[in-house]
Amino acid sequence: MEDVFRTLGYENVRQAEKTADEGRDVIMEEVVDGTRRAIVVECKHTGTVGRPVVQKLHSAIATFDFDGPKRGMVVTTGRFTSPAQEYADRLQQNNDPHPIELLDGEDLREIADEIGLDLYNGRIEILCDETLRPYDPATDLDAPIQEAFHDIENIEAADLPTPHSAVTFRPVVAVTADTNAVFETSVGVIHRINDQTRFVAHAERGQPQVVDENVATLVTENLHATVVLDSEQLGEIFDEVEERRFGQTQTGYKEWTVERLQQHHTTTVTYTGDNNVTYNKTCEPNLSDISVQSIEPVFLPEVRQMTEIQEYTYPYEYYAAGPSRVTAEDGIHQCVYCDTSGVDETYTYCPNCGAIACSTHIKTERLEGEPICTGCAVTERFALKTKYFYDGQNLEAFREEYADMPLHEKTMENKWLAGGSVVATLLLVVGLLVIGGII
C-alpha cells in the first residue's frame, strides 16, 4: 500500500510503528486547497471487514497527533460489510471532522491497474509495459547469429538454416541511492561516506540479484529508448515469447537496497585516541543515512536462438537492447569434443556431420581435401600415418589409389617418414665418405 499511495502522489508516506498502532498501518499527508491534511490508513487482507474496524480507526484518527485536519481510510483486499459501509457513509453525511474513506478489493485493483501496479495474492506487484528493444529493427532478426558464425571457418552465414528464436522478458530494476554518513569519536571525524550508487538487479521471484557490469551498462545506457512490450506483435517475430512477473513491491526493493548498501559500506576503521591508544571501530551507516532516489522498472529481453545443423544444435543467448547486446551463452564458439571455448580460439565447421570443432579435433579429408572432424571421420593408417575420410566409400577409393602408387609416392603420404628417410640417407652417405677417407 505504500507503493500505491506514493505513486498516487500522497506525501510523507510511511508505515506506522509496528507496536500498539491503534489501527494505524500507514500514515501520509495530502494538500487540499492549500491546507495540509493527515491521512491515517488501516490495511486489511481479509475476506470481509466489519463495522468494528472502521470504528476503531475513527478513534485512532481522533488521538493521532497532528497539527491540522485529519481523515481516515480503510483498505481491504476483500469487501466491506453493510454495517461498515453505513457507518462510513454516516460520518460523511454528518460532516464528521474525521471522515473515513473505504476502498475494497475491486477499488484497489482498479487503482493499482491505473498506476501500473498489480494486486497478486495480496501483494502489490509492479506492473510494467516498458522494455528494452528485443531486436534491432534496422536489421534482420537473425543478424546476431550470422555475426556469431562469421569467424567459424568453412561455413558461410548465408548457408545457415533459420534459427529457432525465443525471447524472455526478464524484469529488472535500475536503482539509484545516496549514502551520507559521518562517524565521530572524541578525537573528531574518523570516517565519512558520501556516495551515490547506481546498479541494476534482476527483479523476478526470489531474492534480487545484482546483474554484472556489462548487463547493467546495457540497461542504464538504453533506459531512454524503451518501447512498449507488445507480446502479440512480438509473437509474429519470435517463435516463443515469455513475460516474467516482477517478484516484489517497490518498497521491497527499496528495503533490500538499503540493507545491501548498509552492509556494503560497513567497515572497520583504526584510529588513535586522545590517550595515544589505537582503537578499532566498526562504522555501520544507519538506515536513515541511506536514501533511495529512484527505482526504475523495465524489462530486459533475453533472446535465445537455436541453430540446428545436421546432428548438432548450437545455442546463442544474449541480452538485447536494439543493436546492443551482451552475450550470456555462446554455444557456437565452443568445440563439440572438448572444453575449448571462447572467441579467441579457431573453430572449423565439419560439413560431414555439422560439428564445430577446435583445431585439435579438425583434420583434412584425404580425397576431398576439405575439413573433417575427428568424431565422424573414418580412419586408416597409410605409410604409418593416420588418414581421415568422410566415409567407407572414400576410404575404399583411396585404398585402390594407394595400391597403384609407386613407392616414392606412397612414402610421401607420410611427410615426416619421407623427410626422415632423406635425412637418414644423407647421414649414411656422409658416414661412408668419412670411413673411406674421402672427407
Side-chain angles (χ1 to χ4, degrees), residues 108-173:
L108 186 56
R109 284 172 174 80
E110 291 177 0
I111 293 172
D113 187 57
E114 290 175 5
I115 64 176
L117 299 172
D118 184 27
L119 184 62
Y120 180 77
N121 288 341
R123 298 185 307 160
I124 302 297
E125 274 192 304
I126 296 174
L127 278 184
C128 176
D129 61 0
E130 294 295 311
T131 178
L132 304 183
R133 288 184 178 273
Y135 63 96
D136 182 3
T139 63
D140 188 79
L141 178 63
D142 302 339
I145 286 292
Q146 294 174 357
E147 181 180 330
F149 273 97
H150 182 72
D151 58 357
I152 304 298
E153 297 185 359
N154 200 43
I155 189 170
E156 296 294 331
D159 297 331
L160 294 171
T162 300
H164 179 277
S165 297
V167 59
T168 299
F169 291 94
R170 301 194 62 180
V172 298
V173 287

Side-chain angles (χ1 to χ4, degrees), residues 131-404:
T131 178
L132 304 183
R133 288 184 178 273
Y135 63 96
D136 182 3
T139 63
D140 188 79
L141 178 63
D142 302 339
I145 286 292
Q146 294 174 357
E147 181 180 330
F149 273 97
H150 182 72
D151 58 357
I152 304 298
E153 297 185 359
N154 200 43
I155 189 170
E156 296 294 331
D159 297 331
L160 294 171
T162 300
H164 179 277
S165 297
V167 59
T168 299
F169 291 94
R170 301 194 62 180
V172 298
V173 287
V175 182
T176 302
D178 293 333
T179 305
N180 293 283
V182 177
F183 302 90
E184 296 183 84
T185 68
S186 59
V187 299
V189 176
I190 62 169
H191 186 57
R192 188 188 303 271
I193 303 172
N194 185 8
D195 177 72
Q196 182 173 83
T197 304
R198 184 170 175 81
F199 62 89
V200 177
H202 287 299
E204 299 175 35
R205 300 285 171 83
Q207 183 74 3
Q209 298 290 329
V210 177
V211 305
D212 67 36
E213 184 176 349
N214 291 334
V215 178
T217 300
L218 181 75
V219 173
T220 56
E221 289 186 351
N222 291 278
L223 277 175
H224 67 285
T226 58
V227 296
V228 175
L229 200 171
D230 188 338
S231 297
E232 184 174 345
Q233 180 185 19
L234 291 168
E236 300 176 0
I237 300 172
F238 290 89
D239 297 306
E240 295 179 31
V241 178
E242 180 186 3
E243 181 180 339
R244 302 277 178 89
R245 303 182 73 117
F246 281 82
Q248 295 190 29
T249 64
Q250 290 182 13
T251 297
Y253 293 121
K254 174 184 175 182
E255 292 174 348
W256 172 77
T257 296
V258 171
E259 292 177 2
R260 179 177 179 271
L261 290 178
Q262 185 182 42
Q263 295 175 5
H264 174 73
H265 287 297
T266 297
T267 185
T268 299
V269 175
T270 301
Y271 69 97
T272 302
D274 293 329
N275 55 1
N276 208 30
V277 175
T278 300
Y279 295 94
N280 292 322
K281 179 178 176 60
T282 299
C283 297
E284 179 183 42
N286 296 318
L287 297 182
S288 59
D289 295 330
I290 303 170
S291 173
V292 177
Q293 302 300 314
S294 64
I295 297 178
E296 301 173 86
V298 69
F299 283 100
L300 173 63
E302 185 180 56
V303 180
R304 186 171 181 85
Q305 295 184 287
M306 308 288 287
T307 305
E308 295 186 4
I309 308 178
Q310 298 188 58
E311 301 175 16
Y312 295 90
T313 300
Y314 298 100
Y316 187 66
E317 186 174 306
Y318 55 91
Y319 295 109
S324 303
R325 59 183 182 272
V326 174
T327 302
E329 180 186 359
D330 184 355
I332 297 170
H333 294 88
Q334 181 174 326
C335 179
V336 300
Y337 298 114
C338 67
D339 295 331
T340 301
S341 62
V343 295
D344 295 331
E345 301 289 337
T346 299
Y347 304 92
T348 304
Y349 168 72
C350 173
N352 197 49
C353 66
I356 292 177
C358 66
S359 55
T360 302
H361 294 93
I362 282 288
K363 303 297 179 181
T364 300
E365 207 273 347
R366 174 59 184 84
L367 281 185
E368 305 293 337
E370 297 293 332
I372 186 172
C373 68
T374 57
C376 73
V378 176
T379 63
E380 190 167 311
R381 295 177 69 83
F382 294 88
L384 303 180
K385 182 176 177 60
T386 300
K387 300 293 180 178
Y388 297 84
F389 303 91
Y390 282 141
D391 50 33
Q393 185 176 352
N394 274 28
L395 170 59
E396 185 59 35
F398 182 73
R399 281 175 181 161
E400 296 176 2
E401 181 181 318
Y402 184 79
D404 295 335

